[in-house]
Amino acid sequence: MNAKKPGQTLRFLRRGEAVTVHDVAPDRTLLDLLREDLHLTATKEGCGEGDCGACTVVLGETVDGRLTYKAINSCIRLAHSVDGIAVYTAEDITAPSGELHPAQEAMVRCHGSQCGFCTPGFVMSLFGMYQNTKGAQKLSREQAQADLSGNLCRCTGYRPILDAAQQMGQLPLPAGCAVDEAATVAALRALKKKPAADGPYLRPTTLSELLQARAAHPQAQVVAGTTDVGLWITKMHKRFPQVLDVTAARELQRVESYPHHIAIGAAVTLTDAFAALVKERPQLLSFSQRFAGLPVRNSGTLGGNVANGSPIGDSMPLLIALGASVVLMRWKKTKAGGEIAHRELRLEDLYTGYRSNVMRPDELLCWIKVPRPTGHALEKVYKISKRFDDDISAVCLAIQMTVKAGVVQQVSIGAGGVAATPARARQTEAALLGQPWTEDTVMHAMDTLRTEFQPISDMRASAAYRQTVLGNLLRRFWLESQGQQAINLESLKTLEALS
Amino acid sequence: MNAPDLKLVVDNTPATTAAGVSRFHESAKAQVAGAATYIDDIPEVRGTLHAAPVCSPVAHGVLRGIDASAALAVPGVHAFIGPDDIPGDRVLAAFAHDEPVFAEGTVQFLGQVGGLIVADDVMTARRAARLVKWDIEPLEPVLTPQQAHAKQRYVLPPVHVTRGDAAAALQRAPHTLAGAFEVGGQEHFYLEGQIAYVLPLEQQQWWVYSSTQHPGEVQHWVSHALGLANHAVTVECRRMGGGFGGKETQAGHLAVWAAIAANKLRRPVKLRLDRDDDFMITGKRHPFAYSYRVGFDNRGRLCGLELDMLANCGFSADLSGPVADRAVFHADNAYFLEDVAIHSYRCKTNTQSHTAYRGFGGPQGVIVIERIMGDIARHLGVDALDVRLANLYGIEDRNVTHYQMAVEDNILEPLMTQLALTCGYRERAEQIAHWNASSPVIKRGIALTPVKFGISFTATLFNQAGALVHVYTDGSVQVNHGGTEMGQGLNTKVAAIVADELGVPFERVLSTASDTSKVPNASATAASSGTDLNGRAAQFAARQVRQNLAAFVAGLDGVGAGAVRFEGGQVITEKQTRTWESVVGAAYANRIQLWSDGFYRTPKIHYDKVTMLGRPFYYFAYGAAVTEVAIDTLTGESRVLKVDILHDVGRSINPAIDIGQIEGGFVQGMGWLTTEQLVWNGKGLLQTHAPSTYKIPATGDIPTHFRVDLWPEANREDNVHGSKAVGEPPFMLAISVFEALRDAVAQAGGRPEAMNAPATAEEVLRALE
């Protein structure tokens, strides 16, 4: 009834059966589809911006022949993005007999629900964990905390919910709750259809089709995981008559490894992109978990974060420090029909101002190339926010530095939250490069870093705090380079560290 | 980590009683399956329209007019609803009668609702609402309580509570300290936003679904705005998705607005606030500003205290009077204030009208005296626990509060001493100081703070409750009471109380939705009093039914009615044991009444509203917490590392639920004092408008070590099952987090006396500079 603009049909799998919904507008959210169109009210709206997790549902997709599960925020996910995949909500995982899934039963037994409004969202995050860890037998407290950081509860104080996460693996799985993986994979295969070449919601499955669609529909809103664009709909009340979704392009769903760099496709989720980065740089694990709650990381893409270019996006300072570049592609008409044209530029050169960049109307950001670690450089990234998890940076600072024979031989510094765009701290780099790596150099560079940017004061932090902390983070980098232990709060994560 | 012995409790364990057992929440199974119905889940009646509020873009100004023509031109929009559409009083029926239903004449805060747009669907209404144009001649907004106080701009007159001669005591005191600080407000962030769904029935009668802690007030307000008698309006609330005080009065506004729209359009109207609008429109915990002078002796015992408390009330009185009163009542927390002068100012600012929030002013009173304790200890160079112990209320003497109530049930000294012992407070404090000496960047801190919280509505008349217990002919039981379920487990506790009274299994008793047509004139479910009041009323109702049945069975068996026992689903006399069901069936056949009402009013309480003296509270709930934190001196970031709590719930009706309230209250309090910062800009715009910018604690914020123990003693007053109220008191245990952070700042060589709350990273770093 909301769809005043022409919509199109979508089909997804629910409880093993195909559900078909006609005339769904391209900018309709998955949550509205569930609650308003299908009257499936188990899934709740808490905030409408992907920050509280009450609307969490699990998506099931076939990857390499196996079913994988992703908890996502349905409030900012577009309905059409679930076309052809399986959707699980809290009302779907209970056995037909009424027996509860272990993710649900554990929540009951551990007294994990009080007001109950966040509960279906928590249950679905737990369900995703349960399915992906084959019954959650050995889920650690730390993992449970990290994977539930995108679900807010105002009643319990979380202890009972974390208990439930750790105990659900010990409960029996009622027969009626088991997902028949083979049948689901087969049903998903049967749902597959050739994407429409035209229509309100375009979701091409190959790179060349995607670029051609971009050239043909420059007015269409480009989306990936809609973890930001979704808010333009729910909060800014924008309407999009046509949407171009990049996430189905097969080529862009990959992370490719080369001798000197890895290339992350624009359709790779933040979860998978960070997994690839953490594989080579284990020190990034905590940062990757703090990037956003899991449902956001499961939906959003690294390409989307970079292309969106928010000054408080956390991936860019890191990628700038690591020397990443982006590959922009477009469809170039030729006599023979057409071909893909591309250009590559350093990430920091992509941005021209607040949320503006050098991309042509027919261009798409397709790849992010990240140099592999050399083994010589010290690489650190620091994020300061009001809340440790699932928060937006007041300041983000990433530093890559190579010191040889006591002299700074190479340095690159990315900073977020300090300017209209993610920025490279070139003056500070200049103050360091070629200098002896000493406390004096650091003190001087701290002063430079504090004055290099003119951050604003807002609800996250004052300008003065941002400037002070930028310098102090450089000091932390110095201390860490000198082998100082236990100088950050994360080192106190285990109580053993205190004794 | 906190492992109370209640994990994986099997719900159906045979137990002789239902109370005292950690029964699962009565709706838990439905909640986890997504089958528990909240108001937005109720299938919509044909013809339902959706409303969105039209919010003022200016904090203060003369309202010249509102132009809704652009909104009305949007396809799907039905109407703009404004003040002229109100058939009854254009001022809300709030007790101070100072709040217009829709803004008129003057705009008083940024976000004030001037009307509604009603449309076919909610997104159309919300989009169109933003097209409405306000014509406002701006006036200078007053945004801080200090500004308001300077201009003597108050929503209610100042209140002064004094005992002895504080000024003279300060003169004589061996030591004095003066201080000033501020503590921020707090957004409730109930996960279910405010919502009302209003259905016109026949003959000017109305059905209102409201997510409210106070259905009776919603009924009162709606009928007042519609110009109808109360009996024409029925309000129902099965459950809320969280309340925390935020749905005590605030829910009433929504119901009134939706009802006015439904009345004009003769259609059902649902009003569900978008989260950003909810932040923008509804009141929060009152921010407070304080200044004080305190005198004390060499042990740190208080001699005199002068305290000014400025409550930022926002633009209207709402509940600010009793909130600020409770802050005055709790400015002693656990401590005897001999010569004291407290001046409480209820400052009128151009912000949201601040309202009830868990603790209801109590936290804002407790934090100031706990801060004073910490500062005295540092001034004297002694441990803060010793200063706290030295100041506790006495048992025989020094046991009368500044509002002239004798503290008769004080257990704090043994409670605090036991907690300090079991968690190794003193050894750890020493070890932490030692550790800090060799830690260059990270510093740790520790604090033990108590709470003594007065239980009862300070407005004595609210301390009454009613209930209905229905026994059906198959032996199943329904209980209905005037309280509301917001997650706190009230219905679970009440059902257990009724089950025990009737001697039937817990599962035989069903709690039903709060409904003004069942129990009339019910008080708000607030002040932690839900179980005390409604549990007792339900117990009395069930007792009446039981007595009817006992008399009947006594007649059959020729025994005294007192000799009939009701246990384990059986009715037992020395002659015969019958099943509950057979007795009920036989009683029905013999025309015995199988249902009853129950009524309870709290005894002993009285209090003079003008002098603020008397016994406002039936009893006190006590507790204490030890919190250990760490701070990062480079960034000001902090972590809560370890928490140990010993809390007094009397004889627990449901230990799992009580521990859930303690843990949940503590974490909510921790959020208030650490990450939950409300930021208004210079124009009065609340910039922290949603969870993206307003940060309540998440899973990663709770300490690895988080232990809760219950004090093993029944309530010394005659309260239902010997229990004590639990909803609010544990919230104030989180003040130990703030005091531990200040301890860490002090150990880092900073200025803890300069630190305001919340202790964000920026605030901690500021205190370190």
Side-chain angles (χ1 to χ4, degrees):
Chain A
M1 75 202 247
N2 197 22
K4 299 290 179 243
K5 312 262 177 186
Q8 73 193 46
T9 299
L10 70 86
R11 288 200 302 164
F12 67 91
L13 205 63
R14 174 172 182 253
R15 283 184 166 272
E17 306 281 336
V19 176
T20 304
V21 196
H22 298 290
D23 201 27
V24 178
D27 53 2
R28 190 137 183 86
T29 65
L30 176 56
L31 181 64
D32 285 348
L33 181 88
L34 292 170
R35 290 187 60 85
E36 295 186 359
D37 300 342
L38 300 173
H39 308 292
L40 298 173
T41 56
T43 311
K44 310 301 182 197
E45 178 178 302
C47 68
E49 59 174 14
D51 266 291
C52 78
C55 67
T56 305
V57 301
V58 168
L59 304 183
E61 287 178 273
T62 314
V63 177
D64 302 328
R66 300 242 22 204
L67 207 52
T68 63
Y69 301 84
K70 280 184 196 148
I72 59 110
N73 296 118
S74 64
C75 70
I76 49 170
R77 179 92 176 202
L78 295 182
H80 281 286
S81 75
V82 304
D83 188 45
I85 65 181
V87 178
Y88 300 87
T89 70
E91 61 241 288
D92 299 334
I93 63 171
T94 306
S97 63
E99 283 178 290
L100 298 175
H101 187 278
Q104 299 170 314
E105 183 68 28
M107 283 286 279
V108 173
R109 292 195 179 201
C110 295
H111 303 272
S113 72
Q114 287 187 21
C115 86
F117 200 81
C118 71
T119 307
F122 270 100
V123 161
M124 293 320 294
S125 284
L126 292 172
F127 173 77
M129 291 157 72
Y130 186 93
Q131 297 297 123
N132 284 329
T133 57
K134 297 186 172 52
Q137 297 285 332
K138 288 181 185 151
L139 204 67
S140 69
R141 194 73 159 188
E142 290 69 31
Q143 194 62 49
Q145 280 185 324
D147 286 0
L148 292 172
S149 70
N151 290 89
L152 297 179
C153 169
R154 193 54 151 168
C155 295
T156 63
Y158 301 107
R159 192 272 310 160
I161 298 173
L162 295 168
D163 282 354
Q166 288 191 268
Q167 294 188 11
M168 64 180 171
Q170 297 157 33
L171 295 171
L173 178 68
C177 291
V179 174
D180 184 340
E181 182 162 336
T184 307
V185 168
L188 286 173
R189 201 178 303 120
L191 268 190
K192 278 222 164 122
K193 59 173 194 239
K194 178 132 182 68
D198 201 0
Y201 196 90
L202 300 169
R203 204 176 178 218
T205 51
T206 67
L207 178 57
S208 67
E209 286 168 359
L210 173 67
L211 296 172
Q212 289 173 64
R214 180 58 171 153
H217 305 285
Q219 83 298 337
Q221 176 60 47
V222 177
V223 302
T226 60
T227 53
D228 197 35
V229 174
L231 278 77
W232 305 358
I233 296 166
T234 59
K235 297 296 173 175
M236 295 162 73
H237 299 164
K238 285 192 181 174
R239 304 283 339 237
F240 301 120
Q242 193 173 38
V243 168
L244 176 60
D245 181 342
V246 306
T247 59
R250 277 192 296 276
E251 296 90 331
L252 302 184
Q253 292 170 341
R254 295 197 294 261
V255 177
E256 297 179 352
S257 282
Y258 298 94
H260 299 293
H261 72 274
I262 60 171
I264 299 168
V268 175
T269 62
L270 288 158
T271 305
D272 293 341
F274 273 117
L277 291 170
V278 168
K279 201 169 155 193
E280 302 197 320
R281 296 174 163 93
Q283 75 272 22
L284 296 180
L285 177 64
S286 166
F287 181 77
S288 75
Q289 289 171 339
R290 292 181 63 191
F291 185 90
L294 184 62
V296 166
R297 282 182 276 134
N298 278 344
S299 247
T301 62
L302 191 63
N305 195 245
V306 168
N308 197 19
S310 164
I312 46 177
D314 276 342
S315 72
M316 290 80 89
L318 172 66
L319 292 170
I320 287 171
L322 298 183
S325 58
V326 291
V327 178
L328 309 180
M329 291 180 164
R330 66 190 171 89
W331 188 252
K332 191 172 128 193
K333 282 204 172 119
T334 62
K335 278 178 193 157
E339 64 183 22
I340 296 173
H342 78 275
R343 57 177 172 146
E344 181 175 339
L345 54 159
R346 296 188 73 90
L347 176 53
E348 58 268 33
D349 298 332
L350 178 64
Y351 308 110
T352 53
Y354 179 72
R355 287 186 183 248
S356 60
N357 58 45
V358 301
M359 280 161 65
R360 293 165 43 130
D362 61 348
E363 263 181 333
L364 288 173
L365 189 154
C366 289
W367 295 93
I368 296 160
K369 291 168 71 173
V370 185
R372 308 190 79 153
T374 59
H376 311 300
L378 184 60
E379 296 172 349
K380 294 278 180 184
V381 59
Y382 308 109
K383 169 173 176 168
I384 305 298
S385 52
K386 274 188 198 158
R387 185 172 68 201
F388 188 74
D389 289 310
D390 194 14
D391 195 359
I392 293 163
S393 293
V395 170
C396 184
L397 186 72
I399 304 171
Q400 184 191 61
M401 183 187 286
T402 309
V403 177
K404 264 199 184 154
V407 173
V408 178
Q409 197 185 44
Q410 171 272 328
V411 59
S412 51
I413 302 176
V418 297
T421 66
R424 188 160 175 185
R426 292 189 188 278
Q427 293 171 26
T428 309
E429 290 175 10
L432 290 163
L433 195 63
Q435 300 297 314
W437 184 230
T438 62
E439 187 150 18
D440 281 351
T441 302
V442 173
M443 298 291 274
H444 172 62
M446 282 167 66
D447 289 341
T448 308
L449 184 54
R450 282 178 179 141
T451 53
E452 180 161 2
F453 302 104
Q454 282 73 49
I456 57 164
S457 289
D458 65 9
M459 66 297 218
R460 294 196 175 86
S462 69
Y465 176 75
R466 287 182 158 112
Q467 286 174 322
T468 303
V469 162
L470 269 181
N472 288 1
L473 291 174
L474 185 57
R475 176 164 183 79
R476 183 192 303 290
F477 182 82
W478 152 258
L479 292 170
E480 286 177 341
S481 78
Q482 301 306 297
Q484 287 260 21
Q485 304 289 320
I487 58 166
N488 63 60
L489 291 173
E490 282 176 70
S491 67
L492 301 186
K493 249 185 175 168
T494 58
L495 292 171
E496 291 71 45
L498 299 173
S499 47
Chain B
M1 173 63 218
N2 177 37
D5 304 325
L6 46 86
K7 282 187 202 165
L8 296 172
V9 173
V10 177
D11 200 20
N12 297 320
T13 344
T16 49
T17 61
V21 179
S22 290
R23 298 281 164 193
F24 304 145
H25 191 287
E26 42 86 17
S27 289
K29 287 180 180 175
Q31 287 168 338
V32 299
T37 304
Y38 302 80
I39 288 171
D40 199 38
D41 303 336
I42 296 170
E44 284 167 14
V45 169
R46 188 173 58 209
T48 294
L49 297 173
H50 299 263
V54 177
C55 297
S56 166
V58 169
H60 193 200
V62 177
L63 177 56
R64 295 202 197 98
I66 291 181
D67 175 8
S69 54
L72 292 169
V74 173
V77 170
H78 286 250
F80 169 78
I81 306 292
D84 293 341
D85 299 312
I86 304 168
D89 189 354
R90 290 157 82 119
V91 179
L92 281 172
F95 88 100
H97 208 246
D98 63 346
E99 211 174 318
V101 171
F102 294 122
E104 285 191 83
T106 313
V107 165
Q108 306 205 60
F109 75 98
L110 199 160
Q112 187 173 10
V113 174
L116 301 178
I117 291 293
V118 185
D120 283 329
D121 63 88
V122 68
M123 283 309 286
T124 301
R126 288 177 185 170
R127 282 190 204 103
R130 296 215 188 158
L131 301 176
V132 174
K133 292 195 172 60
W134 292 69
D135 182 6
I136 298 169
E137 183 187 327
L139 299 170
E140 192 62 33
V142 174
L143 296 174
T144 68
Q146 291 92 338
Q147 288 168 355
H149 184 45
K151 295 182 175 182
Q152 300 202 6
R153 209 167 169 265
Y154 306 120
V155 294
L156 292 166
V159 163
H160 309 280
V161 173
T162 60
R163 172 165 65 184
D165 186 342
L170 280 160
Q171 281 279 324
R172 289 193 306 267
H175 307 274
T176 56
L177 279 176
F181 87 109
E182 293 178 30
V183 53
Q186 186 176 26
E187 160 63 35
H188 302 81
F189 205 77
Y190 25 67
L191 263 285
E192 177 208 33
Q194 302 273 358
I195 183 167
Y197 184 24
V198 177
L199 286 76
L201 307 177
E202 64 169 62
Q203 300 182 63
Q204 269 295 44
Q205 292 164 32
W206 295 81
W207 190 272
V208 179
Y209 292 105
S210 170
S211 181
T212 177
Q213 294 172 238
H214 200 172
E217 182 140 273
V218 172
Q219 175 198 27
H220 181 188
W221 285 19
V222 167
S223 54
H224 190 80
L226 293 184
L228 300 171
N230 289 347
H231 70 189
V233 177
T234 301
V235 179
E236 182 190 303
C237 177
R238 172 59 184 89
R239 63 172 62 78
M240 284 160 272
F244 317 113
K247 293 173 181 171
E248 188 169 339
T249 56
Q250 307 294 294
H253 299 71
L254 270 84
V256 166
W257 295 331
I260 292 163
N263 180 64
K264 178 174 182 180
L265 298 168
R266 314 311 296 176
R267 299 263 295 262
V269 171
K270 189 196 278 188
L271 174 55
R272 169 170 68 88
L273 292 187
D274 174 71
R275 180 63 66 175
D276 288 52
D277 290 341
D278 199 317
F279 267 71
M280 196 70 85
I281 294 167
T282 65
K284 333 236 165 268
R285 179 185 297 285
H286 290 65
F288 266 59
Y290 313 81
S291 59
Y292 56 83
R293 285 207 321 138
V294 60
F296 47 96
D297 67 16
N298 293 331
R299 290 173 57 206
R301 189 179 258 197
L302 296 177
C303 311
L305 172 68
E306 287 178 344
L307 171 63
D308 283 2
M309 306 170 93
L310 310 185
N312 181 347
C313 300
F315 83 97
S316 73
D318 187 75
L319 298 169
S320 294
V323 166
D325 287 354
R326 195 170 267 269
V328 171
F329 288 136
H330 285 79
D332 61 343
N333 191 23
Y335 313 114
F336 179 62
L337 308 177
E338 194 156 13
D339 290 285
V340 57
I342 300 173
H343 310 289
S344 167
Y345 301 95
R346 293 93 204 271
C347 302
K348 178 172 177 166
T349 59
N350 294 112
T351 64
Q352 294 81 354
S353 185
H354 297 309
T355 191
Y357 193 140
R358 199 176 200 166
F360 203 73
Q364 293 97 318
V366 173
I367 192 169
V368 64
I369 197 71
E370 289 304 332
R371 181 184 173 97
I372 287 170
M373 292 292 147
D375 284 345
I376 289 174
R378 275 182 287 276
H379 184 82
L380 296 175
V382 299
D383 191 283
L385 176 57
D386 292 320
V387 174
R388 291 189 164 97
L389 290 171
N391 280 289
L392 286 182
Y393 276 109
I395 303 299
E396 300 295 332
D397 62 345
R398 294 169 52 87
N399 63 351
V400 177
T401 66
H402 53 299
Y403 47 91
Q404 299 302 325
M405 173 173 172
V407 182
E408 294 169 347
D409 53 7
N410 185 2
I411 52 170
L412 272 175
E413 188 170 8
L415 188 149
M416 289 166 71
T417 307
Q418 181 177 322
L419 176 65
L421 212 61
T422 53
C423 81
Y425 169 82
R426 290 186 191 275
E427 304 80 63
R428 282 167 58 197
E430 243 176 68
Q431 186 212 342
I432 286 167
H434 183 71
W435 188 92
N436 282 342
S438 61
S439 175
V441 174
I442 307 298
K443 302 288 180 185
R444 286 152 66 193
I446 190 168
L448 185 159
T449 64
V451 65
K452 163 185 133 288
F453 193 76
I455 302 299
S456 291
F457 288 98
T458 52
T460 305
L461 77 160
F462 291 147
N463 296 287
Q464 57 174 310
L468 291 173
V469 167
H470 298 175
V471 176
Y472 293 91
T473 52
D474 65 350
S476 62
V477 182
Q478 257 192 14
V479 56
N480 188 277
H481 54 83
T484 56
E485 174 65 39
M486 61 193 103
Q488 82 280 41
L490 173 61
N491 282 348
T492 314
K493 286 184 174 179
V494 171
I497 291 164
V498 169
D500 278 359
E501 201 63 29
L502 299 176
V504 299
F506 178 74
E507 295 70 26
R508 293 296 268 165
V509 183
L510 195 69
S511 299
T512 57
S514 309
D515 178 338
T516 56
S517 66
K518 286 197 167 175
V519 174
N521 312 323
S523 299
T525 306
S528 306
S529 67
T531 306
D532 288 11
L533 299 177
N534 299 290
R536 252 287 150 81
Q539 187 180 40
F540 290 169
R543 188 165 294 170
Q544 187 63 45
V545 175
R546 192 188 68 188
Q547 284 168 354
N548 291 350
L549 292 171
F552 168 64
V553 171
L556 294 178
D557 288 4
V559 299
V564 184
R565 288 183 293 133
F566 293 75
E567 282 172 19
Q570 295 182 315
V571 182
I572 302 161
T573 70
E574 55 189 36
K575 298 265 176 65
Q576 201 174 334
T577 294
R578 300 174 175 85
T579 65
W580 162 258
E581 287 75 15
S582 68
V583 169
V584 167
Y588 174 73
N590 283 277
R591 296 183 292 169
I592 305 295
Q593 185 178 343
L594 287 175
W595 58 274
S596 179
D597 62 309
F599 180 75
Y600 174 69
R601 56 180 173 182
T602 312
K604 294 190 178 179
I605 50 177
H606 59 87
Y607 136 69
D608 183 325
K609 264 205 266 191
V610 179
T611 61
M612 290 190 53
L613 304 179
R615 176 175 180 159
F617 307 119
Y618 185 34
Y619 62 89
F620 293 101
Y622 298 94
V626 173
T627 295
E628 182 180 330
V629 301
I631 60 170
D632 179 336
T633 57
L634 288 176
T635 60
E637 294 166 290
S638 67
R639 278 283 178 92
V640 175
L641 301 173
K642 286 179 91 167
V643 174
D644 291 272
I645 290 171
L646 181 55
H647 195 75
D648 161 36
V649 297
R651 188 187 295 133
S652 178
I653 292 174
N654 185 318
I657 284 176
D658 286 343
I659 288 172
Q661 288 295 300
I662 295 166
E663 291 172 335
F666 182 90
V667 170
Q668 207 172 79
M670 183 179 98
W672 173 48
L673 295 171
T674 55
T675 56
E676 292 185 38
Q677 187 179 29
L678 292 165
V679 180
W680 283 270
N681 72 9
K683 292 181 171 153
L685 171 71
L686 179 63
Q687 292 179 292
T688 45
H689 57 88
S692 53
T693 45
Y694 183 77
K695 310 313 281 190
I696 71 165
T699 50
D701 296 310
I702 69 161
T704 316
H705 173 100
F706 191 7
R707 182 174 179 85
V708 177
D709 288 305
L710 301 179
W711 180 254
E713 185 188 338
N715 194 334
R716 295 183 193 175
E717 295 293 344
D718 176 23
N719 202 49
V720 63
H721 277 263
S723 68
K724 282 194 178 183
V726 68
E728 293 165 294
F731 183 92
M732 278 146 280
L733 296 176
I735 290 168
S736 60
V737 176
F738 190 65
E739 285 304 290
L741 286 168
R742 295 205 312 134
D743 181 46
V745 165
Q747 298 211 32
R751 297 174 302 123
E753 69 282 359
M755 209 165 94
N756 290 321
T760 58
E762 179 162 359
E763 186 61 21
V764 171
L765 196 67
R766 199 178 62 81
L768 287 168
E769 274 164 4

